[in-house]
Amino acid sequence: MASKTVFITGAAAGIGRKAAVSFARKGYTVGGYDIDEVGLKSLKDEIEDLGGTAVVGHLNVTDADEFAERLAEFTATTGGRLDVLVNNAGILVAGKFEELKIATIHREIDINTKGVANGLHAAFPYLKATKGSVAISMASASAIYGQAELASYSATKHYVRAITEALDIEWGSYGIRLAAIWPLYVQTAMTENIKTGTTDSLGIKLGPQDVADVIVKAAEPGLYSKLTHQIHWTVGTQTALLAMGSRFSPIWLTRLVNKRLAHGGH
Ligand SMILES: NC(=O)c1ccc[n+]([C@@H]2O[C@H](COP(=O)([O-])OP(=O)(O)OC[C@H]3O[C@@H](n4cnc5c(N)ncnc54)[C@H](O)[C@@H]3O)[C@@H](O)[C@H]2O)c1
């Protein structure tokens, strides 16, 4: 099989779906996986209507065995080739930590962290076998500094940040690159009913296509990004400014800025 291939989790809706269609437009064979099989069917139709190729199937990213099976099935159709893995599936739980059910917090940790570990672990042999491969995972602006009212979500995105940085070093010798994508709030189903201090103070300004465009860029970096071995990809000006600010300011100031932003319109 000559075309490049991408395996995307959480592909039925939101950012994952836009990324799937964007890769298809570039000629990639797209593997779209999700727990929402109705959404996947319409994704497959959308890609095929564009003249693209899509393989879709059920995958709950928290199930390591199912993840390995879906990857084996997908790569069986691509001659073993896996150019890009996109660990996109994730959920967001907002609210005061002590008021959330512990089972809800555990579910968020399972999907957002174990789901990413499962994907990276299962995809490793295929990424290793494919020259120039990259594993991309969805971090978030909440990986810059712990976020009030999103405490556990923000902690899961710090996990994504760290595992991306670490494996990029470990797997460099196999020719595998890693990348993390850092959007601030994006208008998807995830943020539809979310209201926190920072949604008030910062707004929800990005659309899912803005993020998908950056995912595709991270998969196919330009010369400058290649030369600087870019791992972290911010989306939008607000995140770029917040990330830059936290890099150059003392930790007490970063805390103060985050505290002010968290109080938003409250
Ligand atoms: N929307 C935002 O504001 C925002 C900001 C920063 C980062 N992100 C991250 O981007 C990613 C995608 O978010 P989105 O806004 O597109 O969300 P979304 O809710 O619109 O879509 C998420 C998709 O993931 C699927 N999914 C949920 N649990 C799953 C599981 N266990 N296994 C497989 N699929 C599962 C859902 O069915 C859905 O299709 C997430 O990792 C999220 O944390 C989102």
Side-chain angles (χ1 to χ4, degrees), residues 63-77:
D63 182 337
D65 293 338
E66 193 185 17
F67 215 135
E69 275 166 34
R70 291 294 95 83
L71 268 162
E73 282 166 13
F74 177 64
T75 51
T77 71

Side-chain angles (χ1 to χ4, degrees), residues 145 246 249-260:
Y145 192 86
S246 78
S249 62
I251 193 83
W252 64 263
L253 184 56
T254 305
R255 174 182 175 274
L256 208 61
V257 169
N258 278 276
K259 194 174 168 190
R260 288 290 289 275

Side-chain angles (χ1 to χ4, degrees), residues 9-17 33-36 59-63 87-92 107 110-112 137-142 153 156-157 181-191 204 206 208 211:
T9 67
I15 294 166
R17 187 182 181 109
Y33 295 86
D34 204 296
I35 48 176
D36 170 7
L59 170 60
N60 183 342
V61 294
T62 63
D63 182 337
N87 279 314
N88 164 75
I91 63 165
L92 178 149
R107 184 164 166 263
D110 281 349
I111 296 172
N112 295 7
S137 301
M138 286 306 301
S140 147
S142 69
Y153 176 81
T156 65
K157 296 303 180 180
I181 312 296
W182 296 59
L184 195 62
Y185 294 115
V186 186
Q187 285 156 9
T188 64
M190 177 174 275
T191 52
I204 304 183
L206 296 170
V211 187

Side-chain angles (χ1 to χ4, degrees), residues 14-236:
I15 294 166
R17 187 182 181 109
K18 290 287 184 195
V21 174
S22 300
F23 278 111
R25 282 186 199 281
K26 290 185 77 75
Y28 281 68
T29 295
V30 174
Y33 295 86
D34 204 296
I35 48 176
D36 170 7
E37 294 185 79
V38 176
L40 285 179
K41 167 81 180 73
S42 78
L43 170 68
K44 187 170 164 64
D45 290 347
E46 187 179 346
I47 289 178
E48 288 176 352
D49 285 350
L50 291 169
T53 309
V55 178
V56 297
H58 180 276
L59 170 60
N60 183 342
V61 294
T62 63
D63 182 337
D65 293 338
E66 193 185 17
F67 215 135
E69 275 166 34
R70 291 294 95 83
L71 268 162
E73 282 166 13
F74 177 64
T75 51
T77 71
T78 69
R81 182 169 181 173
L82 181 63
D83 294 276
V84 186
L85 167 73
V86 185
N87 279 314
N88 164 75
I91 63 165
L92 178 149
V93 180
K96 293 201 170 95
F97 183 78
E98 68 280 12
E99 290 175 5
L100 296 169
K101 289 203 169 74
I102 194 66
T104 309
I105 294 171
H106 286 174
R107 184 164 166 263
E108 183 181 51
I109 294 170
D110 281 349
I111 296 172
N112 295 7
T113 64
K114 288 190 196 166
V116 170
N118 289 339
L120 292 168
H121 202 264
F124 174 71
Y126 308 107
L127 293 169
K128 188 179 163 198
T130 309
K131 196 167 179 288
S133 61
V134 57
I136 301 173
S137 301
M138 286 306 301
S140 147
S142 69
I144 297 172
Y145 192 86
Q147 290 301 300
E149 295 174 283
L150 296 174
S152 191
Y153 176 81
S154 158
T156 65
K157 296 303 180 180
H158 278 73
Y159 174 90
V160 172
R161 173 187 184 156
I163 200 165
T164 300
E165 291 169 347
L167 290 184
D168 183 71
I169 296 172
E170 276 189 42
W171 291 358
S173 56
Y174 302 114
I176 305 169
R177 221 166 27 88
L178 277 90
I181 312 296
W182 296 59
L184 195 62
Y185 294 115
V186 186
Q187 285 156 9
T188 64
M190 177 174 275
T191 52
E192 236 164 47
N193 300 311
I194 300 290
K195 191 171 158 44
T196 66
T198 45
T199 56
D200 278 351
S201 60
L202 297 165
I204 304 183
K205 303 203 166 125
L206 296 170
Q209 188 63 52
D210 297 319
V211 187
D213 291 345
V214 175
I215 294 174
V216 171
K217 260 196 212 155
E220 298 188 350
L223 185 60
Y224 179 78
S225 300
K226 267 191 193 155
L227 289 175
T228 55
H229 197 89
Q230 183 171 352
I231 297 173
H232 297 304
W233 297 75
T234 56
V235 187

